[in-house]
Amino acid sequence: MADENKFEQAKGNVKETVGNVADNKELEKEGKEDKNSGKAKEVVENAKDKANEVIDKFKK
């Protein structure tokens, strides 16, 4: 999952850059959205992992 989130961020970064260079505001906006979506998913995944670590400690 983490790789998918990093790929989504990278894809968004490329779209944003190409949109900026080509003066394509729609592509630039789409790139920003992809990048932010990937970051948000990564944060949620990290929080879920930390929560599972805490739960595992209490199970022992």
Side-chain angles (χ1 to χ4, degrees):
M1 261 313 243
D3 290 339
E4 291 174 21
N5 297 335
K6 291 290 186 188
F7 177 75
E8 188 170 353
Q9 290 177 49
K11 179 180 74 170
N13 195 37
V14 169
K15 281 184 179 180
E16 182 180 3
T17 301
V18 170
N20 190 18
V21 169
D23 198 31
N24 182 333
K25 297 299 178 191
E26 185 62 33
L27 186 60
E28 188 176 352
K29 179 183 171 206
E30 188 178 318
K32 287 179 182 180
E33 290 171 355
D34 287 348
K35 190 166 55 171
N36 290 334
S37 174
K39 287 179 182 179
K41 289 176 185 176
E42 186 175 21
V43 167
V44 168
E45 187 176 317
N46 288 340
K48 188 169 73 172
D49 289 345
K50 293 293 181 187
N52 284 333
E53 288 176 16
V54 170
I55 290 169
D56 287 344
K57 285 182 182 179
F58 282 109
K59 285 182 178 179
K60 293 179 181 181

